[in-house]
Amino acid sequence: FNFMITMSVNVVEHPRTESEWENSFALKMFLFQFVNLNSSTFYIAFFLGRFAGRPGKYNKLFNRWRLEECHPSGCLIDLCLQMGVIMVLKQIWNNFMELGYPLLQNWWSRRKIKQTEREERTRGGQNVEIKVQLPQWDIDWNLQPMNAHGLVDEYLEMVLQFGFTTIFVAAFPLAPLLALLNNIIEIRLDAYKFVTQWRRPMPARATDIGIWYGILEGIGVLAVITNAFVIAITSDYIPRFVYAFRYGPCVDKEYHHEKCLRGYMNSSLSVFDMGERLNVSEESRYCRYRDYRASPWSPVPYDFTLQFWHVLAARLAFIIVFEHLVFGIKSFIAYLIPDMPKSLCDRMRREKYLMQEMMYEAELEHLQKERKKNGRRYHHEWP
């Protein structure tokens, strides 16, 4: 379905060259697949449970259905489970489709060829099965042809995997390891597939990987921003940090260790008075929920406390500092390790200079011959 939509949009666009058409097609296919595969993870990381409301004042969809909330342990656990399921099952399914589908198609094509040969022998009155060794080119021709956009599919698979291993790596640190194991296995599967199951593809020259380099750069930038938000908003790292340095038992002391988080759970839970709506006994009248709100008996009930604003400010500060720090380190490493060595750049400049010098001498020689032929005077300088 995504392939059909992308092809239709590309036809409407009318790109000027074939390379522009391929770049536009690859970008649209990536955007379709990226949205389909990452929409659930972005929802769990940044939207799940953020707008559910509080006890006594829940937000409801169409005033009927309550919005979904995170697990009591936090949304980070849900995000980790979602990433684990996607990384494991998607890679297993991709490897099965890449190898299993051509195997089934080749088996079916061989079966049809044998059935056709058997019918031809039966028509000719030959009931004895004769094994005929087909030439190698016939055997290769009966293999599955490579898709016209097969290379785009291979790039797309690797780029999507790179996105999975970087965008939410803070929530699922095992993603790079699973990607490495999958790539080790897929190298051998692709080798077997290209040698035994597919026809040999037509070679094509290319100066670089095209638009995929820009897509990888965009994923890298998005990964830094997303991981900053995951650490600051989805996880409990910032609330624990604020409690240890501002509200914990170690505020006025010079040391900070695990004892500084004593009372953190109680500090992160707010109180709700169920007696406002339900007739319950005094012993079980109050319940606790995860939020930073004032108690029911405060002057402004269920209003955000000062700790909530401290945590919010710390989260925003962490996002800004983390992003600038990571981008600064990235720029510094890119400056230390350039794309091309200095010696290679010098050689390229020298070759360009020699090429211009040769063109200058060839043009000057040609012009001198023309003037000599026409009987005009000529000089050893550029006319």
Side-chain angles (χ1 to χ4, degrees), residues 55-69:
K57 193 179 179 181
Y58 285 111
N59 297 325
K60 296 184 178 181
L61 189 63
F62 302 112
N63 294 324
R64 184 174 181 180
W65 296 289
R66 274 180 54 185
L67 298 179
E68 190 179 8
E69 296 186 55

Side-chain angles (χ1 to χ4, degrees), residues 199-262:
R199 296 177 191 169
R200 181 176 298 177
M202 295 295 295
R205 296 183 61 183
T207 56
D208 51 20
I209 61 175
I211 198 173
W212 296 108
Y213 180 79
I215 293 175
L216 291 173
E217 286 283 343
I219 291 177
V221 174
L222 180 63
V224 175
I225 300 174
T226 305
N227 282 289
F229 275 88
V230 167
I231 297 173
I233 296 177
T234 310
S235 69
D236 289 337
Y237 174 76
I238 299 301
R240 290 172 181 267
F241 181 83
V242 172
Y243 178 81
F245 283 86
R246 183 66 178 83
Y247 298 95
C250 301
V251 173
D252 299 329
K253 301 178 182 180
E254 296 181 356
Y255 57 90
H256 300 278
H257 48 80
E258 65 275 2
K259 294 182 180 179
C260 298
L261 291 176
R262 286 183 178 178

Side-chain angles (χ1 to χ4, degrees), residues 70-332:
C70 294
H71 191 268
S73 60
C75 294
L76 193 64
I77 301 299
D78 295 340
L79 181 60
C80 180
L81 294 175
Q82 180 76 4
M83 287 294 300
V85 170
I86 291 177
M87 286 293 296
V88 175
L89 296 183
K90 182 180 181 300
Q91 291 179 353
I92 292 175
W93 175 254
N94 285 343
N95 290 333
F96 171 76
M97 290 299 296
E98 285 190 6
L99 184 61
Y101 186 67
L103 281 173
L104 292 176
Q105 285 188 322
N106 289 331
W107 172 81
W108 182 254
S109 62
R110 288 194 300 268
R111 184 175 180 275
K112 290 176 64 176
I113 292 174
K114 292 180 180 179
Q115 185 177 1
T116 304
E117 292 179 353
R118 190 180 300 110
E119 291 177 356
E120 291 179 355
R121 293 194 190 101
T122 304
R123 292 173 184 174
Q126 298 178 1
N127 295 327
V128 180
E129 293 187 2
I130 302 175
K131 294 183 179 180
V132 180
Q133 184 67 28
L134 296 176
Q136 186 63 38
W137 53 83
D138 284 342
I139 297 176
D140 294 340
W141 178 255
N142 292 327
L143 298 177
Q144 294 302 313
M146 187 175 180
N147 186 9
H149 307 287
L151 190 59
V152 174
D153 296 336
E154 297 293 331
Y155 270 117
L156 181 62
E157 182 182 0
M158 290 294 101
V159 170
L160 291 175
Q161 185 191 80
F162 176 73
F164 277 118
T165 56
T166 55
I167 293 178
F168 292 103
V169 68
F172 189 64
L174 284 177
L177 177 61
L178 294 178
L180 175 63
L181 296 176
N182 173 78
N183 291 341
I184 293 174
I185 297 173
E186 190 171 359
I187 286 174
R188 306 314 308 165
L189 292 181
D190 285 345
Y192 178 79
K193 176 182 66 176
F194 279 107
V195 172
T196 63
Q197 303 301 320
W198 279 10
R199 296 177 191 169
R200 181 176 298 177
M202 295 295 295
R205 296 183 61 183
T207 56
D208 51 20
I209 61 175
I211 198 173
W212 296 108
Y213 180 79
I215 293 175
L216 291 173
E217 286 283 343
I219 291 177
V221 174
L222 180 63
V224 175
I225 300 174
T226 305
N227 282 289
F229 275 88
V230 167
I231 297 173
I233 296 177
T234 310
S235 69
D236 289 337
Y237 174 76
I238 299 301
R240 290 172 181 267
F241 181 83
V242 172
Y243 178 81
F245 283 86
R246 183 66 178 83
Y247 298 95
C250 301
V251 173
D252 299 329
K253 301 178 182 180
E254 296 181 356
Y255 57 90
H256 300 278
H257 48 80
E258 65 275 2
K259 294 182 180 179
C260 298
L261 291 176
R262 286 183 178 178
Y264 166 74
M265 184 59 66
N266 186 53
S267 174
S268 63
L269 297 176
S270 300
V271 181
F272 175 67
D273 186 4
M274 295 188 297
E276 297 178 357
R277 297 193 176 190
L278 302 175
N279 295 325
V280 296
S281 61
E282 190 68 24
E283 297 179 356
S284 59
R285 180 174 179 176
Y286 300 102
C287 70
R288 310 295 297 273
Y289 61 97
R290 289 174 61 94
D291 209 343
Y292 296 101
R293 293 183 180 270
S295 58
W297 52 82
S298 63
V300 185
Y302 305 114
D303 193 15
F304 290 115
T305 61
L306 184 61
Q307 187 176 356
F308 170 81
W309 300 109
H310 285 166
V311 171
L312 181 61
R315 283 172 169 170
L316 296 177
F318 175 83
I319 292 173
I320 296 174
V321 172
F322 182 84
E323 290 179 357
H324 284 74
L325 180 63
V326 174
F327 284 132
I329 295 174
K330 174 183 175 295
S331 302
F332 180 70

